[in-house]
């Protein structure tokens, strides 16, 4: 089934009318640099027609690792654009960043115009400022992330780099979004033989056999992320620790939360839960109203 979705994604021959759109500079204003890395650079931006604040990701063509073809386009586009376009066409999801537009600009490569939460902060900085998060706040974030990943997988996309830096928190609403699909790929049931994510966050099977499957990789990443939120740092730094798959809890964490983390960080991929099993875990059963009240009271008011 997953292979079929991936094939549909790659081979979709639906004829779409290609419209000529206005150039980037006549629609958007590019602002200050927000961050940069191996993928390219991200700038603040504004849509000129209505003043909407956006994020503009610039990708140099020579840095693109994977290419794809979109119906109606003459040349190939970065896989990231193809994946985000696919998600936009099915309506998007509240827990996943939305691509609003994209452009290929001579001399600048590809420009991706993304939605930008008005009070956004990436989860890495959020944790750095506050330290380990209360479990109820962690639960609120984690549930949204898992639901967002279910949406991705249901529409044939695997992210492959789930980590705190790729989660944006709206500090006013405490809603989160998964961002940065630069390591993403079409979802398939067969193993992947290339690792596009962050070194140090790879699962044991990649270290041991240089292969992994989409869902077990995602769940391993979720285990690392959940540990990171409740303990304030990732559980493993070295390959030998990853392969040992025995997280040591550095803070007081409930038994239910520990059990979910250890399940996600099972050494054997087939022993890890599915995303649906994660959502059914006893730790995930906290009440929404109580969560929100405790979360807001647990955060320093000046941080919001």
């Amino acid at each position: 089934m997953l292979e079929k979705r991936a094939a549909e994604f790659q081979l979709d021959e639906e004829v779409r009318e290609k419209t000529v759109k206005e150039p980037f500079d006549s629609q958007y204003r590019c602002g200050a640099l927000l961050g940069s890395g191996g993928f390219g650079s991200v700038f603040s931006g504004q849509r000129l027609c209505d003043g909407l604040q956006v994020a503009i990701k610039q990708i140099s063509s020579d840095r693109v690792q994977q290419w794809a073809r979109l119906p109606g386009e003459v040349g190939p586009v970065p896989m990231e654009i193809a994946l985000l376009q696919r998600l936009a066409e099915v309506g998007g999801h509240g827990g996943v960043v939305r691509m609003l537009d994209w452009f290929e600009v001579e001399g600048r490569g590809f420009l991706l115009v993304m939605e930008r939460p008005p009070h956004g902060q990436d989860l890495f900085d959020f944790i750095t400022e506050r330290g380990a998060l209360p479990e109820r706040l962690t639960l609120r974030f984690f549930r949204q992330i898992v639901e967002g990943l279910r949406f991705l997988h249901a529409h044939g996309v695997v992210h492959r780099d789930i980590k705190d830096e790729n989660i944006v928190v709206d500090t006013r609403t405490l809603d989160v979004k998964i961002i940065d699909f630069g390591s993403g790929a079409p979802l398939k049931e067969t193993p992947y033989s290339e690792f596009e994510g962050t070194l140090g966050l790879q699962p044991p099977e990649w270290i041991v056999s240089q292969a992994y499957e989409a869902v077990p990789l995602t769940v391993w990443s979720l285990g690392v992320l959940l540990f990171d939120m409740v303990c304030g740092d990732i559980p493993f730094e070295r390959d030998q620790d990853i392969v040992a798959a025995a997280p040591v809890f550095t803070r007081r964490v409930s038994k239910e939360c520990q059990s979910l983390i250890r399940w996600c960080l099972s050494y054997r991929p087939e022993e890890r839960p599915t995303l649906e099993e994660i959502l059914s875990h006893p730790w995930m059963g906290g009440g929404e109203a109580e969560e929100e009240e405790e979360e807001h009271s647990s955060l320093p008011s000046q941080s919001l």
Side-chain angles (χ1 to χ4, degrees):
M1 184 65 176
L2 300 185
E3 285 179 319
K4 181 181 178 183
R5 288 182 185 138
E8 289 173 346
F9 174 78
Q10 294 283 47
L11 302 176
D12 183 8
E13 296 297 336
E14 177 186 354
V15 176
R16 298 175 189 157
E17 183 179 355
K18 183 174 174 58
T19 59
V20 178
K21 59 186 177 184
E22 293 295 316
F24 171 82
D25 289 331
S26 68
Q27 295 190 63
Y28 297 94
R29 178 180 296 117
C30 199
L33 178 69
L34 297 176
S36 60
F39 55 82
S41 302
V42 178
F43 300 86
S44 64
Q46 185 179 51
R47 190 163 63 189
L48 298 178
C49 68
D50 59 3
L52 179 70
Q53 297 298 308
V54 297
I56 299 168
K57 182 172 183 177
Q58 180 176 350
I59 305 174
S60 299
S61 298
D62 57 2
R63 295 187 181 185
V64 176
Q65 299 294 316
Q66 299 182 87
W67 296 88
R69 289 195 174 273
L70 290 177
E73 298 296 330
V74 175
V77 300
M79 179 63 74
E80 181 172 6
I81 290 178
L83 298 174
L84 289 166
Q85 181 73 27
R86 169 75 175 204
L87 298 176
E89 288 174 356
V90 296
H93 186 277
V96 179
V97 71
R98 186 188 298 264
M99 183 177 70
L100 305 177
D101 210 340
W102 67 272
F103 301 82
E104 184 175 7
V105 180
E106 186 174 356
R108 299 174 70 180
F110 292 87
L111 300 178
L112 284 62
V113 181
M114 317 293 294
E115 64 177 341
R116 183 183 176 198
H119 304 283
Q121 180 181 39
D122 75 46
L123 185 55
F124 176 86
D125 289 340
F126 192 91
I127 294 171
T128 299
E129 286 187 6
R130 296 162 177 80
L133 305 181
E135 283 192 33
R136 287 195 180 275
L137 178 58
T138 297
L139 173 56
R140 179 183 178 92
F141 290 169
F142 194 68
R143 182 185 286 122
Q144 293 178 70
I145 294 164
V146 175
E147 291 286 9
L149 290 168
R150 287 184 71 201
F151 167 77
L152 296 183
H153 291 189
H155 294 286
V157 175
V158 58
H159 187 280
R160 299 202 296 185
D161 197 20
I162 293 298
K163 58 181 179 179
D164 52 13
E165 293 172 281
N166 290 337
I167 306 296
V168 168
V169 181
D170 186 321
T171 57
R172 292 292 178 91
T173 65
L174 299 179
D175 292 332
V176 302
K177 290 183 185 294
I178 300 167
I179 66 169
D180 193 351
F181 284 72
S183 298
L187 188 69
K188 61 180 182 178
E189 287 185 333
T190 53
Y192 296 82
S193 58
E194 73 290 329
F195 186 76
E196 298 289 346
T198 302
L199 294 178
L201 301 181
Q202 64 267 43
E205 57 269 25
W206 172 253
I207 296 172
V208 172
S209 62
Q210 301 290 287
Y212 60 88
E213 295 182 359
V215 174
L217 166 74
T218 300
V219 171
W220 176 270
S221 300
L222 285 171
V224 171
L225 181 62
L226 182 52
F227 184 101
D228 182 23
M229 286 193 280
V230 295
C231 291
D233 202 355
I234 61 175
F236 312 120
E237 295 285 350
R238 304 173 301 173
D239 285 1
Q240 54 263 47
D241 296 328
I242 292 173
V243 172
V248 177
F249 290 88
T250 56
R251 294 181 180 268
R252 184 183 297 274
V253 178
S254 69
K255 291 181 179 179
E256 292 81 6
C257 186
Q258 287 192 38
S259 76
L260 178 54
I261 291 171
R262 289 195 171 98
W263 193 13
C264 292
L265 296 179
S266 297
Y267 173 78
R268 296 171 63 87
E270 63 271 21
E271 293 179 358
R272 294 173 205 152
T274 63
L275 297 182
E276 290 72 25
E277 287 173 330
I278 288 175
L279 290 172
S280 298
H281 188 275
W283 184 75
M284 300 292 292
E288 290 282 358
E290 294 179 2
E291 288 167 27
E292 186 166 354
E293 179 180 357
E294 182 169 334
E295 287 148 11
H296 280 284
S297 65
S298 69
L299 294 177
S301 58
Q302 64 268 25
S303 298
L304 300 177

